[in-house]
Amino acid sequence: MKDLIKLSGSVGVRGRNFSDDVRLIQALLNRVVRIPWALLAVDGVMGPQTIAHIKNFQRSVVGFSIPDGRIDINGKTWRHLVRLAGESQPAQPRNGSDTNAPPNFPANGKIAWGAKVSTPFKVRVMEICRNLSIAPDFLMACMAFETGETFSPSIKNAAGSGATGLIQFMPRTARDLGTTTEELEKMTAVKQLDYVERYFLPRKGRLKTLEDVYLAILYPAAIGMDPEEALFQRGAKTYEQNSGFDKNKDGKITPAEISIKVRQKYEKGLKEGYFG
């Protein structure tokens, strides 16, 4: 497995921190991190959050009493990270036109929830994610959440909003994309992915985190906002439509609260029987 991915240089404190290497480490850490640690933005920027994740991994998994926050080529931290990520490990972006592709585009062809969809569906998802620089695991987790884990192109919103399909296209959204929800529900899941790609295309380059990808579906204006900021508040129709997210019942819904359920789908999708 170690041959599938490589570092070009050290990453972390006083590392060389090439952007492709940083994205690779961020993606690998996301594959093994668990709540309460937040998923890292896969943006190639070496910042305090990425260093904190490296140190936490070194302390809790590698066994460092004094973590140094640095991952070296073939070093102890690297070996532990690759071993723990196992078959979940992503591939390093290739040079040339693929430089901006997400580093967790998997060389082994396995992604979150991949065992629950057809091979053509999985291949198309990975193609879309390469084109749009979206992490495949993030998109699959969002579609799993939106469809109740069915990945059905015809599933409809239970609240009667008219939303349909893999990312719950609203009727107006469907019209903006040159189709209708009636047409979408008659499509195969693989064909409907074409419209998923069209939907995300205007947001290319902004979808670095799981929250970003989900907010692009739910409420695009909130992409990149503070996770603790009120997105919807009691009294608004948008709050009533999404009131299930307000777990602490304080009358406001934040991106952090919204991400909890999607994060659960992300983690479930990486488990045995779902990852494939």
Side-chain angles (χ1 to χ4, degrees):
M1 296 300 297
K2 290 187 291 185
D3 292 335
L4 286 177
I5 53 176
K6 297 179 181 179
L7 284 177
S8 300
S10 55
V11 171
V13 177
R14 293 186 295 278
R16 301 188 73 179
N17 293 322
F18 297 125
S19 59
D20 284 353
D21 289 335
V22 175
R23 283 195 292 267
L24 173 59
I25 293 301
Q26 289 168 333
L28 279 169
L29 287 170
N30 279 346
R31 283 287 177 95
V32 300
V33 73
R34 291 295 181 264
I35 294 173
W37 284 82
L39 293 175
L40 290 166
V42 184
D43 56 8
V45 177
M46 177 50 62
Q49 287 187 322
T50 301
I51 290 174
H53 275 64
I54 293 173
K55 288 184 176 180
N56 174 64
F57 181 79
Q58 290 178 321
R59 183 183 300 107
S60 61
V61 177
V62 186
F64 285 12
S65 58
I66 304 177
D68 60 9
R70 175 182 169 119
I71 299 177
D72 292 307
I73 298 174
N74 296 323
K76 188 175 182 180
T77 304
W78 171 253
R79 294 196 302 272
H80 273 75
L81 185 57
V82 169
R83 177 184 59 78
L84 187 58
E87 290 189 345
S88 300
Q89 61 186 317
Q92 186 179 22
R94 295 176 295 191
N95 294 328
S97 61
D98 288 324
T99 298
N100 295 320
N104 45 348
F105 186 88
N108 55 17
K110 293 187 176 183
I111 58 177
W113 293 98
K116 297 300 182 180
V117 297
S118 69
T119 297
F121 186 95
K122 183 172 61 174
V123 169
R124 182 68 178 111
V125 166
M126 291 192 288
E127 180 182 45
I128 289 170
C129 290
R130 184 181 297 279
N131 292 343
L132 301 180
S133 296
I134 298 175
D137 292 339
F138 292 171
L139 181 56
M140 288 293 287
C142 289
M143 290 192 293
F145 178 73
E146 290 290 89
T147 64
E149 303 181 9
T150 67
F151 295 91
S152 168
S154 61
I155 192 167
K156 289 186 176 294
N157 181 273
S161 68
T164 302
L166 297 171
I167 58 171
Q168 291 293 276
F169 295 95
M170 292 293 287
R172 180 174 178 178
T173 301
R175 290 194 297 271
D176 290 343
L177 294 172
T179 186
T180 65
T181 52
E182 290 77 16
E183 291 175 344
L184 285 167
E185 69 175 297
K186 295 176 183 177
M187 295 178 185
T188 65
V190 175
K191 176 60 179 176
Q192 197 178 105
L193 284 172
D194 292 345
Y195 290 89
V196 172
E197 182 173 23
R198 291 185 196 180
Y199 178 81
F200 280 107
L201 185 59
R203 301 159 180 89
K204 180 178 180 179
R206 300 173 59 203
L207 309 175
K208 303 297 185 181
T209 67
L210 176 63
E211 290 78 12
D212 287 339
V213 177
Y214 185 59
L215 285 172
I217 298 170
L218 181 67
Y219 200 70
I223 295 172
M225 72 179 290
D226 184 331
E228 298 302 327
E229 185 179 346
L231 178 57
F232 306 128
Q233 297 196 54
R234 185 177 287 127
K237 183 178 180 180
T238 49
Y239 175 89
E240 301 306 323
Q241 291 173 331
N242 297 281
S243 59
F245 287 116
D246 188 7
K247 291 302 182 183
N248 61 3
K249 305 303 179 184
D250 64 351
K252 67 177 183 179
I253 299 171
T254 67
E257 287 177 308
I258 288 174
S259 70
I260 292 174
K261 289 186 177 181
V262 182
R263 170 66 177 271
Q264 290 170 347
K265 296 299 183 187
Y266 170 86
E267 293 194 349
K268 183 176 181 178
L270 292 175
K271 293 180 179 179
E272 185 176 357
Y274 300 90
F275 180 74

